[in-house]
Amino acid sequence: MTEWLTLNALGLRGRLPLTVLTDLLSTNGLDAPAAEALFAGLAGAGLIVLSDGAAELTPAGTDRYQHLRHRVDDISRRAFAQFDPARVEVARSLLQEIADLDPSGLSPRAR
């Protein structure tokens, strides 16, 4: 999953600072040392290039990203085909609103 998140971010946005990628991965439970290890592994596999505190996809990384993107799209299409399109759109819209929330404006729920 973390490989996908990294490749997807770079595939969608292009070259990104490692701090941005590390912050993205932290939302999925990866701490900074684990993110650094992930980046090193992806670079070692020839999927990304690390330079000047940033990362970008290599041609092999672009191929891997596109392959995974097609798989995700296919699975999503098949899953969403099981539901009424209007309900899918409502759910998608709600999830987008949640994603667009400013985290600094959220407060922890009282227990």
Side-chain angles (χ1 to χ4, degrees), residues 55-69:
E56 62 186 305
L57 293 176
T58 64
T62 299
D63 288 346
R64 175 94 172 132
Y65 163 68
Q66 290 174 344
H67 171 76
L68 292 172
R69 174 84 261 158

Side-chain angles (χ1 to χ4, degrees), residues 6-97:
T6 304
L7 296 178
N8 190 48
L10 295 171
L12 292 173
R13 299 180 186 157
R15 182 179 172 89
L16 287 172
L18 293 176
T19 55
V20 171
L21 288 172
T22 300
D23 287 346
L24 171 68
L25 292 168
S26 74
T27 64
N28 286 276
L30 229 63
D31 61 12
E36 289 174 18
L38 173 65
F39 302 149
L42 292 172
L47 300 176
I48 65 172
V49 172
L50 302 171
S51 65
D52 300 323
E56 62 186 305
L57 293 176
T58 64
T62 299
D63 288 346
R64 175 94 172 132
Y65 163 68
Q66 290 174 344
H67 171 76
L68 292 172
R69 174 84 261 158
H70 290 303
R71 287 185 58 198
V72 168
D73 288 347
D74 181 53
I75 292 167
S76 296
R77 259 191 310 281
R78 288 186 288 146
F80 292 137
Q82 306 299 310
F83 301 95
D84 174 52
R87 290 182 64 212
V88 170
E89 180 53 30
V90 167
R92 187 209 59 77
S93 178
L94 175 60
L95 290 172
Q96 186 60 55
E97 286 180 45

